[in-house]
Amino acid sequence: MINLNVTVEHLRDLLNSSAHAELVAVGGGIEILDPNEEGFQVDGISVVTREQLFDKLPSGGDPPNEGELALAAASLSQMIAELGA
């Protein structure tokens, strides 16, 4: 089984992406995809959208700290593992 771990860097990149971006487990890795981009097609599992991530973080609209991102990454990685992705 492939080990798909969400990293703090993935989450930073997602937060800095477009408003509709999603973190997706696809092809043995984690990618940030935007459903508004031409040619968008997902053959993976949507893990979290940018908006959902903002809602999960205690900092709200403020830039999140490293600890918040690390906890969110661990939680999302655990969710993927439980789904058996």
Side-chain angles (χ1 to χ4, degrees):
M1 179 166 58
I2 298 171
N3 186 8
L4 297 172
N5 286 315
V6 177
T7 66
V8 168
E9 192 60 37
H10 288 129
L11 298 184
R12 269 198 207 101
D13 289 346
L14 179 60
L15 292 172
N16 291 322
S17 295
S18 69
H20 302 287
E22 300 178 30
L23 198 67
V24 179
V26 60
I30 303 292
E31 296 182 27
I32 296 170
L33 302 175
D34 187 336
N36 293 328
E37 289 182 2
E38 188 174 327
F40 174 79
Q41 180 178 347
V42 173
D43 293 328
I45 299 168
S46 178
V47 177
V48 68
T49 66
R50 182 175 178 266
E51 183 177 338
Q52 289 168 332
L53 180 57
F54 270 121
D55 289 345
K56 284 180 180 269
L57 296 172
S59 56
D62 297 328
N65 65 43
E66 192 78 13
E68 287 177 295
L69 291 175
L71 286 173
S75 175
L76 293 168
S77 293
Q78 179 63 35
M79 181 190 78
I80 292 169
E82 289 172 1
L83 290 173

